[in-house]
Amino acid sequence: MKLFNEFKRYSIVGVFSTLINYIFYYIFLKITKLVVISSFIGYFMGLLNSYFFGKEWVFKSKANNNWRIILKFSLVYLLGGFLNSLTIYILNKYGFVYYISWLMGTLIAIFNNFYGSKFFVFTKN
């Protein structure tokens, strides 16, 4: 039951992080007209939200915010992004419709990021 509740909270944080990502992307795109910079800023702001709410609310970690935890978090999410892109690429190569490829890649990334955060980043040790 604890795992299910953590995943529910993780999902809520994910929705809000995505919303924050889009809001910052949209604002900076209107200001700068630079898609790459706006995308990076939006993604970074969403990632910050995911980190802090994941640590405090989802996994209730008491660990200090130090470079090791931030590095581990970054590695987990980098791996999630890589697995997402790789899945989309492979499934598209085998003729899957793009939205199915995207959905599968996203689901793999979500589970990677959840379990990586739970068992590697915000451990209770």
Side-chain angles (χ1 to χ4, degrees):
M1 188 59 133
K2 179 182 177 191
L3 186 68
F4 179 73
N5 287 332
E6 285 176 335
F7 192 76
K8 280 193 323 188
R9 288 191 301 265
Y10 178 82
S11 298
I12 292 167
V13 170
V15 168
F16 280 103
S17 294
T18 302
L19 184 61
I20 288 168
N21 178 340
Y22 181 74
I23 290 169
F24 275 90
Y25 163 77
Y26 183 79
I27 290 169
F28 278 88
L29 185 62
K30 290 295 181 190
I31 293 169
T32 67
K33 307 289 189 234
L34 300 171
V35 172
V36 173
I37 300 296
S38 301
S39 296
F40 177 80
I41 291 170
Y43 185 77
F44 183 75
M45 297 308 288
L47 206 56
L48 281 176
N49 187 70
S50 294
Y51 174 81
F52 286 109
F53 278 97
K55 179 181 181 295
E56 300 291 331
W57 187 54
V58 176
F59 301 110
K60 300 186 186 325
S61 174
K62 302 295 183 211
N64 291 328
N65 293 319
N66 62 44
W67 67 270
R68 283 189 190 139
I69 291 176
I70 293 169
L71 179 62
K72 288 163 113 181
F73 180 84
S74 299
L75 289 173
V76 165
Y77 275 75
L78 184 64
L79 177 61
F82 174 75
L83 292 173
N84 183 338
S85 298
L86 182 64
T87 302
I88 292 169
Y89 173 77
I90 290 171
L91 292 179
N92 275 329
K93 194 170 184 166
Y94 285 101
F96 282 77
V97 179
Y98 179 75
Y99 65 87
I100 298 294
S101 302
W102 180 87
L103 181 62
M104 295 304 296
T106 299
L107 288 173
I108 288 170
I110 287 169
F111 284 107
N112 171 79
N113 296 347
F114 174 75
Y115 286 109
S117 293
K118 179 168 181 57
F119 295 113
F120 179 64
V121 179
F122 301 121
T123 57
K124 302 278 189 224
N125 56 16

